[in-house]
Amino acid sequence: MELEGVLTILLGICLAIIAAWKWRHKEGRFPPGPMPLPFFGNLLQLSPKDPPKSLLALRDKYGPVFTLYLGPRRVVVLCGHEALKEALVDHGEQFCGRGDVAILDRSFKGLGIVMANGECWKKLRHFTLITLKNFGMGKCSIEERIQEEAQYLLEKFRKTKGLPFDPTYLLSCTTSNIICSIVFGRRFEYEDKTFLSMLDLTNKLFFELSTPWAKLYDMYSGIMQYLPGGHKRIYNLLEELKTFIAEKIKVNQETLDPKNPRDFIDCFLIEMEKEKGNRSTEFTMDNLVLTVLNLFTAGTETISSTLRYALLLMMKYPEVEAKVHQEIDSVVGANRTPAVKDRMNMPYTNAVIHEIQRVVDILPLGVLRKVTEDTEFRGYLLPKDTNIITFLGSVLYDPKYFSDPEIFNPEHFLSEEGHFKKNDAFVPFSTGKRACVGESMARMELFLYFTTILQNFSVKSSLAPKDINTSPQLSGLLKIPPIYQLCLVPR
Ligand code: HEM
């Protein structure tokens, strides 16, 4: 064969390989989904007020795994227990990347445990889990800290003298003090100005992240970064929080005794010192500030919002509250503080707390993930870095696992004999390698706060139960509970 012919064949092979590579890596074989419009994608199919509801409608049409265009951005949505488990557990390694959240990018730049990927994430997660455990997460020492903090809360609650008040600020202070004890080595008075500023910033941050502005920015960041709007507020809130945290770290640095680490920050500083000569270390000041920011914000807002919903639901369902009162009275009594060991003797209360977390569905769409490599999944090919929505709400409301998913009913977690019944579709903390690192602490807090409050008070509303609205004021990243007034009547 002539040289020219050989070259032509070689060129043909090269082009075929490049085309195949491009197809595999760029185009993939994506799940079905609604036809996107240029620039707008599938925006017209999504309700800005209630995106999860629109996603459920699309699931009914396209099945549990479908492709969606948020503006020009392509994402794959996973719905229902089977699809989520198959992806996050069975293909755990491939689905453990954190997705691209443009609105957070400018502040996080892929650093800090929540937004990190690859080696950086692995190192930060391992260190965070070990350090949280060393400071008592999941153990008696944190249990005692929560019991003590709950008493401070009761003191404040007693001062309301049965008059109506909004519990938001007190619940934020008390739950935040638990993560503060680990991260900053201390609790704060509920009147402490710096503490209140940090809580206010956190509260505003989650509110802003749950508005349609945040979603719009994620879709059209290229244009929106030049326009004014809510996204600028998110950036400013994060920068302010970073400044507060950096100041706290400075105090730790000045008083550090490497033999006696007092808190998470000290442990991280010691690790930084050990790795001083390593140029590729993940133990950097930026990672410290952002990981502390992650723990403080995630550890405060999720639990306090869940407790806000919990008290609201008890006002709406007084018959459930009465049964919880009964169980507390017979198992704990009035003369000692509830303890974690009581949980196994309190199946009804345990079921109520699970049911609260299920219906509240605090992070309905989870936190965006992405695949870490080209991934074959259910006959589709998802190219590396494909963003994935883990639709946790579709699992918590999966009719295959909960007989009446729309109804608040603790029986969802009770056997016929009244024993607590586990349910695999209970995934408020997500599942797999990247599930919530604070789960055991959060579960302990929810149980101890809920039982301690109801041991001491009955909740009352000025509205009739049927008129109490439990719909979130905003549903985005977080389902933000409605603002309401509550009366606590001593028992
Ligand atoms: C009711 C309370 C809580 C709920 C419902 C909750 C839920 C979640 C969910 C759904 C995720 C996303 C996991 C994923 O990517 O699939 C997450 C991640 C995370 N949570 Fe929580 N969380 C709660 C409390 C806490 C607490 C108390 C802490 C602090 C210790 C915490 C720290 C974190 C961190 C650091 C991550 C990121 C983990 C990673 O990317 O590896 N959370 N949480």
Side-chain angles (χ1 to χ4, degrees):
M1 198 186 290
E2 299 207 351
L3 184 63
E4 208 174 305
V6 174
L7 284 177
T8 310
I9 290 172
L10 275 178
L11 187 67
I13 292 172
C14 284
L15 286 175
I17 290 173
I18 289 170
W21 190 90
K22 269 183 124 181
W23 180 76
R24 276 185 68 85
H25 291 257
K26 273 244 164 66
E27 303 309 327
R29 289 192 309 279
F30 283 92
M35 179 69 91
L37 293 173
F39 187 72
F40 294 105
N42 301 121
L43 277 190
L44 298 181
Q45 277 108 334
L46 293 176
S47 143
K49 275 203 177 145
D50 195 352
K53 199 170 167 196
S54 319
L55 295 186
L56 285 177
L58 292 171
R59 174 207 58 188
D60 292 345
K61 190 156 182 200
Y62 297 99
V65 181
F66 61 89
T67 305
L68 188 70
Y69 284 79
L70 300 172
R73 287 188 63 190
R74 177 167 49 197
V75 295
V76 169
V77 185
L78 304 178
C79 308
H81 174 62
E82 274 79 23
L84 252 99
K85 184 187 159 290
E86 206 176 313
L88 305 189
V89 179
D90 304 346
H91 292 73
E93 197 61 52
Q94 286 119 315
F95 280 85
C96 77
R98 179 61 72 218
D100 309 311
V101 186
I103 193 109
L104 298 177
D105 235 26
R106 199 166 145 215
S107 297
F108 283 91
K109 301 186 180 77
L111 299 174
I113 178 171
V114 174
M115 296 314 297
N117 271 306
E119 262 318 286
C120 177
W121 168 67
K122 279 192 182 145
K123 289 251 167 68
L124 291 177
R125 181 154 175 125
H126 181 71
F127 172 84
T128 302
L129 273 172
I130 288 194
T131 312
L132 290 180
K133 276 193 189 135
N134 287 345
F135 282 105
M137 187 173 82
K139 295 190 202 158
C140 293
S141 48
I142 205 70
E143 176 179 5
E144 283 167 19
R145 186 68 271 284
I146 300 167
Q147 287 170 326
E148 179 198 10
E149 194 59 49
Q151 295 305 314
Y152 287 109
L153 177 71
L154 291 184
E155 230 175 81
K156 296 284 178 194
F157 275 175
R158 285 190 193 106
K159 289 190 178 148
T160 63
K161 299 205 179 314
L163 296 171
F165 72 104
D166 174 353
T168 308
Y169 134 81
L170 286 175
L171 290 175
S172 292
C173 289
T174 196
T175 50
S176 184
N177 260 336
I178 307 303
I179 189 70
C180 285
S181 308
I182 295 182
V183 173
F184 302 123
R186 58 167 292 195
R187 70 175 293 274
F188 295 88
E189 291 301 326
Y190 296 175
E191 294 76 22
D192 184 300
K193 286 214 168 69
T194 315
F195 183 50
L196 288 179
S197 301
M198 286 176 68
L199 289 178
D200 187 47
L201 291 172
T202 305
N203 198 273
K204 286 185 177 140
L205 175 68
F206 278 95
F207 187 88
E208 291 291 347
L209 282 172
S210 303
T211 60
W213 268 113
K215 277 172 234 131
L216 266 183
Y217 187 87
D218 271 340
M219 294 177 218
Y220 303 107
S221 55
I223 306 169
M224 288 197 54
Q225 58 181 309
Y226 301 108
L227 304 175
H231 53 285
K232 295 260 152 83
R233 286 196 291 277
I234 293 176
Y235 175 75
N236 293 337
L237 289 166
L238 282 166
E239 291 309 298
E240 275 192 67
L241 271 170
K242 275 159 85 173
T243 307
F244 273 123
I245 290 166
E247 277 164 20
K248 298 239 167 289
I249 293 173
K250 207 163 147 226
V251 175
N252 275 53
Q253 274 177 312
E254 285 161 5
T255 53
L256 179 70
D257 172 4
K259 290 198 193 80
N260 286 309
R262 298 155 292 187
D263 50 33
F264 183 93
I265 294 178
D266 274 2
C267 294
F268 202 102
L269 288 171
I270 293 167
E271 214 59 34
M272 274 169 70
E273 187 58 30
K274 273 195 221 154
E275 300 228 348
K276 219 172 169 183
N278 176 3
R279 290 179 67 186
S280 59
T281 180
E282 307 301 349
F283 291 93
T284 61
M285 188 51 80
D286 282 345
N287 263 332
L288 172 55
V289 172
L290 291 169
T291 300
V292 168
L293 191 153
N294 288 157
L295 293 174
F296 178 78
T297 50
T300 297
E301 205 57 30
T302 46
I303 303 190
S304 64
S305 293
T306 307
L307 283 172
R308 262 152 80 196
Y309 267 122
L311 298 180
L312 181 65
L313 286 164
M314 289 306 97
M315 292 198 298
K316 185 153 183 80
Y317 300 98
E319 68 286 0
V320 174
E321 187 201 20
K323 283 193 190 172
V324 174
H325 276 152
Q326 238 172 34
E327 197 171 60
I328 293 174
D329 293 349
S330 73
V331 178
V332 186
N335 299 322
R336 70 168 175 87
T337 315
V340 172
K341 69 172 169 26
D342 295 319
R343 184 160 41 193
M344 61 185 178
N345 299 319
M346 299 173 73
Y348 188 76
T349 307
N350 196 13
V352 170
I353 296 172
H354 278 73
E355 183 65 353
I356 290 168
Q357 279 204 274
R358 186 189 74 78
V359 296
V360 162
D361 178 22
I362 199 88
L363 282 157
L365 305 179
V367 183
L368 199 67
R369 299 275 191 103
K370 69 180 176 190
V371 286
T372 54
E373 59 187 33
D374 290 359
T375 300
E376 288 278 353
F377 183 70
R378 292 195 167 192
Y380 308 115
L381 178 72
L382 311 180
K384 181 176 186 296
D385 293 334
T386 299
N387 280 270
I388 309 287
I389 290 181
T390 54
F391 189 0
L392 301 181
S394 69
V395 187
L396 294 170
Y397 281 73
D398 193 332
K400 269 199 236 160
Y401 290 83
F402 301 101
S403 51
D404 246 333
E406 298 298 327
I407 310 285
F408 176 76
N409 180 6
E411 308 283 324
H412 283 135
F413 292 95
L414 286 170
S415 70
E416 279 177 11
E417 300 77 40
H419 298 311
F420 177 75
K421 187 176 72 180
K422 271 192 171 176
N423 191 316
D424 286 346
F426 179 74
V427 290
F429 300 98
S430 186
T431 185
K433 288 178 186 293
R434 199 141 195 174
C436 176
V437 292
E439 174 171 351
S440 63
M441 192 163 104
R443 286 161 62 97
M444 214 185 242
E445 281 190 58
L446 290 176
F447 178 76
L448 293 176
Y449 277 116
F450 187 69
T451 48
T452 307
I453 295 170
L454 291 187
Q455 179 191 38
N456 289 275
F457 297 100
S458 298
V459 292
K460 292 277 173 296
S461 167
S462 54
L463 300 172
K466 67 171 176 35
D467 296 328
I468 294 176
N469 179 8
T470 56
S471 315
Q473 50 168 309
L474 211 57
S475 181
L477 172 69
L478 223 65
K479 274 195 186 167
I480 310 271
I483 296 169
Y484 65 89
Q485 298 274 309
L486 150 96
C487 299
L488 290 173
V489 182
R491 298 183 65 218

